[in-house]
Amino acid sequence: GEHLDYNQYVTITDRMNYLSPVANNVAWHNAVERLMGIEITPRCKYIRTIVTELARILDHLLSNGAVGLDVGAFTFFMYAFYQREVIYDIFETLSGQRFHPSYTRVGGLFYDFTPLVIEKIRTFLRNFPKTLDDMERLLNRNKIFVDRTKGVGLLTKEQAINRSASGPIARGSGVTRDLRKDDPYLAYPDLEFKICCATAGDCYARYLVRMAEMRESMKIVEQAIEN
């Protein structure tokens, strides 16, 4: 990293996060711009918000899909990974790369949205809710899944804070912190969404938080793509 400039280093941020690499691209250049006092355009803020929330869905699909697979719900895993492919297709159309988009630049982006990208995002927003409904029907009240996740992997609120847990892992233990609300950035101040939390602090709670967050991410993307 010492031998790369602020734009070149974005390729490293992809590889720090294999679950949702675009989110790391955005985090990196947000930090660089804050240090340099650079204000990006409203359009850029909205586009970065959209790709970040798509990356959040990508991340949650893998996390919950893998939990399903590990406790015996193979069908659930396939449902989740098919939708990951749809999002990968959006990122490939957007940046030319599926897995390591390296999409952001200091003060902007590698490419602007094209009509085809917008069309693919709208198609995903139309189709994904049905799959999410099916996934919830498969597992939310499945006795085997519930027995294998409820009361397992307990993390109390105090432990989550002391161990610097973040995201749905912290929110599944009752930590109501979310930087999108607590330290608003990009287009988040303009958009309506809820913070999803649970209090049980077990694997089942974290699963439920991730499922709920995917629905909120869809709301965010829908608002942003039409604004």
Side-chain angles (χ1 to χ4, degrees), residues 69-226:
L69 181 65
D70 288 345
V71 299
F74 183 71
T75 303
F76 182 90
F77 171 79
M78 297 302 290
Y79 274 44
F81 266 62
Y82 175 78
Q83 294 300 327
R84 279 175 58 83
E85 286 298 317
V86 175
I87 298 174
Y88 275 142
D89 183 57
I90 293 168
F91 286 158
E92 185 177 13
T93 306
L94 181 60
S95 69
Q97 298 189 75
R98 279 165 43 90
F99 206 56
H100 294 134
S102 305
Y103 181 56
T104 56
R105 297 293 184 271
V106 177
L109 305 158
F110 186 29
Y111 293 119
D112 193 1
F113 271 10
T114 64
L116 180 58
V117 170
I118 293 170
E119 180 189 331
K120 286 188 174 186
I121 292 172
R122 285 178 174 149
T123 301
F124 171 73
L125 292 173
R126 280 197 304 272
N127 296 336
F128 185 50
K130 182 183 181 303
T131 300
L132 211 50
D133 290 344
D134 288 341
M135 290 169 72
E136 287 178 341
R137 279 194 291 269
L138 276 168
L139 288 196
N140 279 20
R141 296 173 62 194
N142 181 300
K143 182 168 173 22
I144 296 171
F145 178 75
V146 173
D147 286 349
R148 290 177 177 177
T149 54
K150 225 170 193 177
V152 176
L154 284 169
L155 188 72
T156 67
K157 183 177 181 178
E158 293 71 25
Q159 287 172 329
I161 293 168
N162 290 336
R163 297 175 187 183
S164 301
S166 63
I169 295 173
R171 289 191 283 275
S173 295
V175 181
T176 57
R177 184 157 173 74
D178 190 316
L179 290 181
R180 294 173 297 174
K181 292 283 191 184
D182 298 328
D183 185 14
Y185 57 98
L186 295 179
Y188 289 112
D190 302 341
L191 306 171
E192 290 292 324
F193 62 98
K194 293 185 289 190
I195 304 304
C196 306
C197 294
T199 56
D202 57 10
C203 290
Y204 187 67
R206 290 186 284 274
Y207 157 82
L208 290 176
V209 167
R210 286 187 171 103
M211 294 302 281
E213 279 198 6
M214 285 193 278
R215 293 194 182 277
E216 293 304 309
S217 290
M218 279 194 293
K219 289 181 193 173
I220 292 170
V221 173
E222 192 164 19
Q223 291 172 72
I225 202 82
E226 303 304 338

Side-chain angles (χ1 to χ4, degrees), residues 30 33 38-42 44-45 48 105-108 186:
N30 279 0
E33 287 150 6
I38 295 170
E39 182 70 22
I40 61 175
T41 64
C44 184
K45 288 179 181 178
R48 284 190 187 179
R105 297 293 184 271
V106 177
L186 295 179

